[in-house]
């Protein structure tokens, strides 16, 4: 493997423009496709195989007009005024009627007519009122003795809540359609004291790509590169490589978005990972080339080729580990996670290709200038290098190895304690910052109507034999559900044209992410007493139910996902390091760091600890797919550092240094660049913590903190301490297994031997 990369490095260095132009052409084609076809993103989080999704799919087939999402607006007037008073009512009604006229909004009057007319609906409501006690504290909106459907007026009269049905999911609406809705709602403000507040469902669905915070992260990364490499020219190369990599990776995602459905979170995730690994991979190769020039006196061309053969091999397998960890998400069978995994994997793969082809080409253009004359002179004047901080540090770790290893376990174990109370769910308005419209609308609805109105459920009833539904049985189910303490309102919604499907709206007593609402959904699905004396069967869907199912599905598959990536990665590490102990040690160290990561993330985002430092003022559940996503990404990135650090130790061991000497030598060589790479990743991921979207905040924080503790506590302290404990036995491999495993020559031992032989032959010819 090292020989192949050595040849690639030499070719790219010698013929730089062939590779540079090729990459620029690829980037140009991608930009052209995007300009021609545009970008098409979706925020839909579809989970196949869940009850909520199955019910929604059935509605799409047999009752499509009610299979979409729900939108809502709040209309508020100052205290002491009435939102439906004479000065406001006409304007409010006009805005609402215009919204109902849109072709992607369901007009309740049309639905009532399709379901049998107003008379039948009023009869149902009358019968229902006789058997249920109403807990609602609002009144209907009536204009000229005609009720305006879908509108509730608060008890004080200063708040109106409009809830309306869409013909498609909110995520499928275009930006123009959302803007059209907002513009029509705002018409209610004309010549009135009304203020219109859109709720969380209509705040827009696109997650911004790139911004000021991400640029700050890149600037910090640039400063770290300059300090590490000691050269502005050398420091610029990893940034160029990373930007080209994400340009092709993320740009390619946008280019394909008209062919494949891409979740709007996907390119952001690819951007995060692509920038981080792109910079790191290029840094490792450039750093190795400079060391070969300074310490061994090689020419820039030979040093670049050897750097590709050694550090390039490590980059290749580090990237492969990240890709495997990400692709493990594919077996989960969740489409939006699969698209994220594929796009992020593709971006990492492109980063590897760019690092192995474009980077040596750029090094070929720079030539000997990659190391300044000042640096060469400084290196040649050193008769004997003084012990570095890294050498003092590693000697201290080895001296107190048992103590420091125990200390790391205790620290990370303490950080992991909050995991026991980690609550997973999808974000709602309750977890948004208090100064956002999403949170303000959530609080207004909760205070004036009840928290449950922020997450109503849609119940779908069918006759078990496929016959038209008996209206009395339909009313019986409504009545049974209305008696539950966990509901505050149950409303009939009507029937499809054939009368075979009936829908009803259920308002829980608690909010959409509360445990009581979760219990209500499960009760509705499993308790047969609700259907007593009927021949009906029911299903529960709606955004709240979908989010509950997503969380449970992800929690269910998480152990399988962990097992898959651990087994596959253990195999890779076994082949790379030709050791049984090293892969096991690496995995155990990762499990410590990932538990600590989830513990601290829970404390910050759920408990609200130090929230003000990260721009949050309200605790809430962690994003339900954070455990799977963060585990996969961090496992891959943690193994990057494992590969770069331990391969350096193994290289020292192969070249004759044994026991602690190999650990010290390898650590001293690799630690500086691993620390720099970790700081760069932390800087890039931290830039995403300060975005407004709570999902991106949580992902950025978990990745940044996870890299921080894994790189500095596990790889920089725990790993060398454990390596020292085992001594040379850490490289033990059964002979039978040694014969079976391919020798990939990551350390470049065979390459160096071959180059040495060639040098001797060349010398003999002279």
């Amino acid at each position: 493997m090292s020989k192949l990369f050595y040849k690639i490095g030499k070719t790219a260095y010698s013929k730089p423009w062939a590779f540079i132009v090729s990459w620029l052409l690829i980037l140009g084609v991608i930009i052209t496709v995007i300009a021609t076809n545009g970008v098409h993103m979706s925020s839909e989080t579809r989970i196949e195989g869940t009850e909520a999704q199955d019910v929604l799919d059935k509605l799409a087939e047999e009752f499509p007009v009610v299979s979409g999402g729900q939108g809502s607006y709040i209309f508020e007037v100052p205290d002491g005024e009435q939102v439906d008073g004479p000065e406001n009512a006409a304007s409010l009604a006009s805005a609402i009627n215009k919204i109902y006229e849109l072709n992607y909004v369901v007009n309740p009057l049309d639905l009532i007519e399709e379901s049998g007319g107003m008379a039948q609906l009023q009869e149902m409501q009358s019968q229902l009122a006789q058997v249920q006690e109403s807990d609602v504290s609002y009144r209907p909106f009536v204009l000229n003795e005609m009720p305006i459907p879908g509108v509730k007026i608060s008890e004080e009269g200063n708040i109106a809540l409009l809830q309306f049905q869409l013909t498609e999911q909110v995520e499928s609406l275009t930006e123009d359609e959302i803007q059209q809705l907002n513009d029509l709602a705002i018409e209610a403000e004309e010549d009135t004291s009304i203020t219109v507040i859109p709720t969380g469902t209509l705040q827009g669905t696109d997650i911004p790509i790139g911004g000021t915070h991400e640029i700050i992260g890149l600037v910090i990364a640039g400063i770290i590169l300059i300090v590490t490499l000691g050269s502005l020219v050398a420091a610029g190369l990893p940034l160029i490589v990373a930007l080209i990599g994400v340009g092709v990776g993320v740009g390619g995602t946008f280019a394909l978005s008209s062919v494949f459905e891409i979740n709007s979170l996907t390119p952001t995730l690819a951007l995060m990972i692509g920038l981080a690994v792109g910079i790191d991979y290029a840094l490792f190769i450039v750093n190795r080339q400079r060391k070969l020039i300074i310490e061994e006196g090689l020419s820039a061309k030979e040093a670049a080729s050897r750097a590709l053969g050694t550090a390039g091999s490590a980059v290749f397998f580090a990237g492969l580990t990240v890709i495997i960890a990400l692709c493990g998400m594919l077996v989960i069978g969740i489409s939006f996670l699969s698209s994220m995994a594929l796009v992020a994997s593709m971006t990492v793969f492109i980063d590897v290709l760019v690092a192995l082809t474009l980077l040596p080409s750029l090094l070929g253009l720079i030539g000997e200038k990659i190391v300044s004359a000042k640096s060469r002179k400084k290196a040649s004047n050193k008769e004997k290098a003084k012990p570095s901080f890294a050498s003092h540090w590693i000697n201290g770790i080895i001296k107190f190895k048992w103590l420091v290893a125990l200390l790391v376990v205790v620290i990370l174990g303490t950080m992991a304690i909050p995991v026991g109370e980690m609550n997973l769910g999808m974000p709602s308005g309750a977890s948004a910052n208090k100064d956002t419209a999403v949170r303000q609308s959530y609080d207004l609805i909760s205070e004036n109507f009840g928290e449950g109105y922020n997450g109503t459920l849609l119940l779908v009833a069918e006759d078990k034999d496929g016959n038209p539904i008996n209206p009395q049985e339909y009313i019986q189910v409504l009545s049974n559900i209305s008696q539950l303490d966990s509901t505050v309102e149950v409303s009939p919604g009507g029937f499809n044209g054939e009368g075979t499907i009936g829908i009803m709206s259920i308002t829980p007593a608690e909010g959409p992410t509360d445990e009581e609402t979760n219990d209500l959904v499960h009760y509705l699905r499993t308790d047969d007493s609700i259907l007593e004396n009927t021949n009906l069967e029911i299903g529960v869907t709606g955004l709240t139910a979908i989010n509950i199912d997503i969380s449970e599905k992800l929690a269910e598959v998480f152990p399988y996902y962990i097992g898959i990536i651990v087994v596959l990665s253990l195999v890779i590490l076994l082949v790379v390091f030709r050791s049984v102990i090293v892969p096991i040690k690496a995995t155990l160290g990762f499990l410590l760091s990932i538990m600590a990561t989830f513990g601290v993330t829970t404390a910050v985002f759920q408990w609200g600890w130090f929230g003000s430092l990260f721009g949050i003022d309200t605790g809430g559940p962690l994003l339900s797919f954070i455990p799977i996503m963060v585990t996969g990404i961090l496992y891959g990135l943690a193994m990057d550092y494992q590969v770069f650090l331990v391969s350096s130790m193994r290289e020292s061991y192969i070249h004759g240094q044994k026991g602690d000497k190999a650990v010290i030598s390898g650590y001293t060589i690799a630690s500086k660049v691993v620390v720099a790479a970790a700081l760069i990743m932390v800087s890039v991921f931290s830039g995403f913590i300060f975005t407004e979207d709570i999902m991106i905040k949580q992902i950025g924080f978990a990745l940044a903190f996870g890299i921080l503790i894994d790189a500095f506590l596990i790889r920089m302290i725990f790993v060398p301490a454990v390596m020292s404990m085992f001594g040379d036995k850490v490289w033990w491999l059964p002979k039978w297994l040694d014969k079976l495993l391919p020798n990939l020559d990551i350390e470049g031992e065979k390459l160096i031997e071959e180059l040495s032989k060639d040098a001797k032959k060349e010398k003999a010819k002279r």
Side-chain angles (χ1 to χ4, degrees):
M1 187 65 71
S2 58
K3 294 178 185 177
L4 172 63
F5 291 136
Y6 175 84
K7 292 177 181 177
I8 292 173
K10 183 165 275 190
T11 302
Y13 192 99
S14 302
K15 301 176 180 179
W17 286 111
F19 290 87
I20 293 171
V21 170
S22 296
W23 280 109
L24 291 177
L25 281 175
I26 293 172
L27 193 58
V29 169
I30 289 172
I31 292 171
T32 302
V33 173
I34 293 174
T36 304
N37 298 330
V39 175
H40 308 273
M41 295 284 114
S42 168
S43 294
E44 184 178 3
T45 50
R46 178 183 178 86
I47 304 289
E48 292 83 355
T50 60
E51 180 170 335
Q53 189 63 58
D54 291 343
V55 172
L56 208 58
D57 291 343
K58 188 173 186 64
L59 282 178
E61 291 179 8
E62 301 185 27
F63 202 176
V65 72
V66 297
S67 66
Q70 188 181 65
S72 54
Y73 286 99
I74 291 176
F75 301 88
E76 182 182 22
V77 295
D79 291 339
E81 294 188 29
Q82 298 291 302
V83 71
D84 57 344
E87 68 278 14
N88 298 318
S91 183
L92 177 61
S94 174
I96 292 171
N97 287 329
K98 286 181 180 180
I99 289 175
Y100 283 147
E101 288 172 2
L102 296 174
N103 59 6
Y104 49 89
V105 175
V106 178
N107 189 324
L109 296 177
D110 294 340
L111 186 59
I112 291 169
E113 188 64 31
E114 184 178 346
S115 301
M118 181 66 76
Q120 181 174 346
L121 180 62
Q122 289 177 336
E123 175 64 23
M124 287 183 182
Q125 290 174 330
S126 175
Q127 292 184 43
L128 185 61
Q130 294 175 15
V131 295
Q132 73 169 350
E133 295 181 6
S134 177
D135 295 325
V136 302
S137 57
Y138 65 82
R139 65 173 187 266
F141 177 29
V142 179
L143 182 66
N144 299 326
E145 300 183 356
M146 287 293 294
I148 307 296
V151 186
K152 300 173 177 66
I153 307 296
S154 65
E155 200 167 21
E156 291 77 12
N158 66 318
I159 301 286
L161 171 63
L162 167 66
Q163 293 178 308
F164 52 91
Q165 182 74 35
L166 298 164
T167 59
E168 53 189 317
Q169 296 302 316
V170 177
E171 296 87 355
S172 300
L173 296 180
T174 66
E175 290 185 16
D176 289 341
E177 288 172 332
I178 290 178
Q179 188 60 51
Q180 185 181 31
L181 276 169
N182 290 335
D183 290 342
L184 291 177
I186 289 173
E187 286 187 11
E189 296 181 350
E190 295 179 6
D191 301 322
T192 69
S193 57
I194 295 174
T195 299
V196 179
I197 305 173
T199 62
T201 57
L202 295 172
Q203 288 297 304
T205 58
D206 291 332
I207 295 172
I209 305 298
T212 305
H213 300 301
E214 291 88 325
I215 293 172
I216 292 172
L218 283 177
V219 170
I220 295 173
I223 294 171
I224 295 169
L225 286 169
I226 293 171
V227 172
T228 304
L229 298 175
S231 164
L232 192 60
V233 174
L237 293 178
L239 291 174
I240 293 172
V241 166
L243 290 173
I244 293 293
V246 297
V248 174
V250 178
T253 302
F254 288 144
L256 294 173
S257 63
S258 60
V259 180
F260 302 100
E261 184 175 290
I262 304 295
N263 187 278
S264 58
L265 186 61
T266 298
T268 304
L269 179 65
L271 179 65
M272 278 187 189
I273 299 173
L275 284 175
V277 302
I279 293 172
D280 280 4
Y281 292 167
L283 170 61
F284 285 117
I285 294 172
V286 173
N287 184 69
R288 178 61 64 90
Q289 186 213 21
R290 285 170 53 82
K291 277 186 174 294
L292 290 171
I293 293 172
I294 293 172
E295 296 178 4
E296 298 188 23
L298 297 178
S299 67
K301 180 178 181 178
E302 182 62 22
S305 303
R306 291 196 185 189
L308 261 289
T310 52
S313 298
V315 162
F316 177 80
F317 284 99
L320 184 61
T321 307
V322 177
I323 290 169
I324 286 177
L326 289 169
C327 286
M329 295 185 194
L330 298 179
V331 302
I332 297 171
I334 297 175
S335 57
F336 78 95
L337 277 181
S338 296
S339 70
M340 289 181 192
L342 287 172
V343 171
S345 298
M346 180 185 73
T347 304
V348 172
F349 179 67
I350 290 169
D351 277 333
V352 172
L353 290 182
V354 172
L356 296 177
T357 57
L358 180 62
L359 178 58
S361 302
L362 296 174
L363 290 172
L365 290 183
I366 295 171
E368 299 294 340
K369 294 179 183 178
I370 191 67
V371 178
S372 65
K374 184 179 178 181
S375 297
R376 294 172 192 266
K377 185 177 180 181
K378 186 177 179 181
S380 63
N381 288 338
K382 288 184 179 180
E383 296 180 1
K384 186 176 181 181
K386 295 180 181 179
S388 63
F389 175 80
S391 63
H392 286 301
W393 181 262
I394 186 60
N395 277 290
I397 289 174
I398 288 176
K399 184 177 180 180
F400 301 102
K401 53 194 169 192
W402 292 98
L403 177 61
V404 297
L406 178 62
L407 194 60
V408 168
V409 172
V410 170
I411 291 172
L412 295 181
T414 303
M415 289 181 178
I417 290 174
V419 168
E421 297 185 30
M422 183 168 64
N423 180 27
L424 299 176
M426 297 298 285
S428 70
S431 57
N433 282 349
K434 294 177 181 177
D435 60 351
T436 62
V438 174
R439 175 59 182 274
Q440 290 166 3
S441 64
Y442 186 95
D443 289 343
L444 281 172
I445 292 173
S446 300
E447 292 165 6
N448 290 276
F449 302 97
E451 199 169 1
Y453 284 93
N454 287 292
T456 55
L457 302 172
L458 180 65
L459 190 142
V460 179
E462 294 179 271
D463 186 90
K464 292 179 181 178
D465 300 323
N467 299 320
I469 294 174
N470 183 326
Q472 294 304 315
E473 293 185 356
Y474 176 81
I475 294 173
Q476 181 64 54
V477 172
L478 281 168
S479 175
N480 292 342
I481 295 174
S482 71
Q483 305 302 315
L484 300 176
D485 293 337
S486 53
T487 65
V488 294
E489 183 179 17
V490 182
S491 303
F495 302 92
N496 64 347
E498 296 78 18
T500 56
I501 293 181
I503 61 171
M504 55 191 78
S505 174
I506 301 173
T507 303
E510 303 298 335
T513 60
D514 288 338
E515 189 63 32
E516 291 84 353
T517 303
N518 182 72
D519 293 341
L520 172 62
V521 170
H522 287 288
Y523 183 84
L524 293 172
R525 288 172 172 172
T526 58
D527 196 286
D528 292 336
S529 64
I530 294 171
L531 303 173
E532 190 175 0
N533 300 323
T534 74
N535 192 46
L536 300 181
E537 56 186 10
I538 59 174
V540 183
T541 188
L543 183 60
T544 298
I546 289 172
N547 287 343
I548 289 171
D549 286 352
I550 287 174
S551 299
E552 292 183 352
K553 174 74 171 179
L554 292 170
E556 177 186 329
V557 300
F558 182 62
Y560 301 102
Y561 173 66
I562 287 287
I564 289 168
I565 66 168
V566 166
V567 169
L568 291 176
S569 296
L570 281 174
V571 171
I572 288 182
L573 294 175
L574 178 67
V575 173
V576 170
F577 293 116
R578 307 188 71 78
S579 162
V580 173
I581 296 173
V582 169
I584 295 173
K585 167 190 60 63
T587 303
L588 291 176
F590 171 74
L591 292 176
L592 280 172
S593 65
I594 196 65
M595 292 300 289
T597 297
F598 291 146
V600 174
T601 305
T602 298
V604 172
F605 287 93
Q606 186 174 312
W607 295 354
W609 289 11
F610 308 107
S612 59
L613 293 177
F614 306 105
I616 59 172
D617 54 26
T618 306
L622 297 190
L623 196 61
S624 56
F625 51 82
I626 267 191
I628 285 179
M629 181 183 295
V630 170
T631 297
I633 295 170
L634 284 184
Y635 193 91
L637 299 179
M639 293 308 106
D640 276 5
Y641 301 130
Q642 178 75 13
V643 168
F644 293 124
L645 182 65
V646 179
S647 64
S648 183
M649 295 177 183
R650 179 168 173 78
E651 188 174 348
S652 297
Y653 171 77
I654 288 174
H655 292 148
Q657 299 189 57
K658 304 299 179 182
D660 287 346
K661 289 183 178 179
V663 175
I664 293 170
S665 175
Y667 187 95
T668 304
I669 292 170
S671 59
K672 181 181 178 181
V673 72
V674 169
V675 166
L679 289 174
I680 288 168
M681 277 204 180
V682 171
S683 300
V684 172
F685 290 144
S686 294
F688 292 86
I689 297 174
F690 301 98
T691 58
E692 293 184 2
D693 189 272
I694 189 64
M695 294 190 293
I696 301 300
K697 273 181 178 289
Q698 290 186 6
I699 295 171
F701 177 87
L703 291 177
F705 187 81
I707 289 295
L708 191 67
I709 61 175
D710 191 90
F712 289 96
L713 291 181
I714 296 297
R715 309 305 151 189
M716 291 288 100
I717 298 176
F718 184 76
V719 165
V722 175
M723 297 281 287
S724 177
M725 291 176 192
F726 283 95
D728 287 344
K729 292 180 181 177
V730 79
W731 307 114
W732 173 77
L733 186 69
K735 292 182 179 179
W736 63 269
L737 187 56
D738 187 44
K739 293 178 181 178
L740 290 176
L741 295 178
N743 191 343
L744 301 174
D745 191 29
I746 302 298
E747 300 79 18
E749 182 185 12
K750 293 182 179 179
L751 172 64
I752 301 301
E753 287 179 3
E754 187 173 305
L755 293 174
S756 297
K757 288 179 182 178
D758 292 343
K760 288 178 181 178
K761 289 179 181 178
E762 189 67 29
K763 189 175 181 181
K765 288 180 181 179
R766 295 176 186 173

